[in-house]
Amino acid sequence: AKPLSGALPSEAQGDGRAVLPYALQQPAAKFPVVIYTRSACAPCDSGRALLKARGVPFTEWTVNTPEDSRQFSRRENTDTLPTLRVGQQQIRGFLASEWHSYLDMAGYPSTSVLPADYNWPSAKALVQPQAPSPAAPDTAAPTEPSVAPTPSGDRKSTRLNSSHRCISYAVFCLK
């Protein structure tokens, strides 16, 4: 089996990525961690900080635009942020004890085994903006935005309203 790669600057493979420490290889391969966040969301910040403090490699998708919100609803069938995925398990909202339980069950170490120089990947917008066509006429039909790959199975779409409030004491953000 090929070792899972991360963003370690030392011990880089030929493609510039490095191998994750052994204690993370199996859980990260079997139960990849994905977090969906929004800017100005205290529970999202707390969730991200928990993952980093525990040394859990993760992919972060931001849900900041109406297009992101629509794609997020289709993909995850929820409006709650943060949303954490540990493998196929979805955890809505942030409750540290619940997140720790899921990470423990997936086999992630309880304390970080990542080297101090680990470079965390940047968060990515869920919907990638399309570059405007230089030669496109103004009368061209609008095109669908380019979206990140979706997990297997298309989820039911839910309409979101445009207002957003972040309730940190309730440990989740509402849109």
Side-chain angles (χ1 to χ4, degrees):
K2 184 178 178 182
L4 196 70
S5 296
L8 297 170
S10 58
E11 301 178 20
Q13 297 175 352
D15 62 1
R17 294 181 298 168
V19 177
L20 287 173
Y22 181 76
L24 289 172
Q25 289 179 17
Q26 199 167 35
K30 289 183 178 180
F31 305 102
V33 174
V34 177
I35 182 174
Y36 296 91
T37 62
R38 177 177 210 106
S39 59
C41 168
C44 300
D45 296 339
S46 296
R48 183 184 316 103
L50 180 147
L51 294 173
K52 286 183 175 184
R54 188 161 167 164
V56 176
F58 62 92
T59 300
E60 182 176 1
W61 295 104
T62 59
V63 183
N64 289 319
T65 67
E67 294 81 15
D68 291 336
S69 293
R70 284 190 292 277
Q71 180 65 18
F72 175 66
S73 274
R74 282 193 296 271
R75 182 183 284 192
E76 295 297 321
N77 200 27
T78 185
D79 300 340
T80 305
L81 292 169
T83 291
L84 179 72
R85 276 218 173 260
V86 179
Q88 295 299 313
Q89 297 296 318
Q90 181 191 69
I91 303 98
R92 298 174 183 178
F94 176 71
L95 182 61
S97 60
E98 184 179 25
W99 283 34
H100 281 298
S101 292
Y102 278 92
L103 294 167
D104 289 343
M105 287 187 288
Y108 284 95
S110 58
T111 57
S112 180
V113 295
L114 292 172
D117 60 351
Y118 182 79
N119 293 317
W120 294 96
S122 298
K124 298 171 277 203
L126 193 56
V127 177
Q128 301 302 314
Q130 283 189 331
S133 274
D138 289 343
T139 59
T143 59
E144 285 295 313
S146 169
V147 296
T150 58
S152 60
D154 194 19
R155 298 196 179 268
K156 183 178 178 183
S157 176
T158 303
R159 280 279 189 204
L160 301 174
N161 69 33
S162 59
S163 65
H164 169 263
R165 38 194 177 115
C166 184
I167 306 172
S168 57
Y169 61 84
V171 298
F172 60 88
C173 290
L174 300 173
K175 293 185 221 85

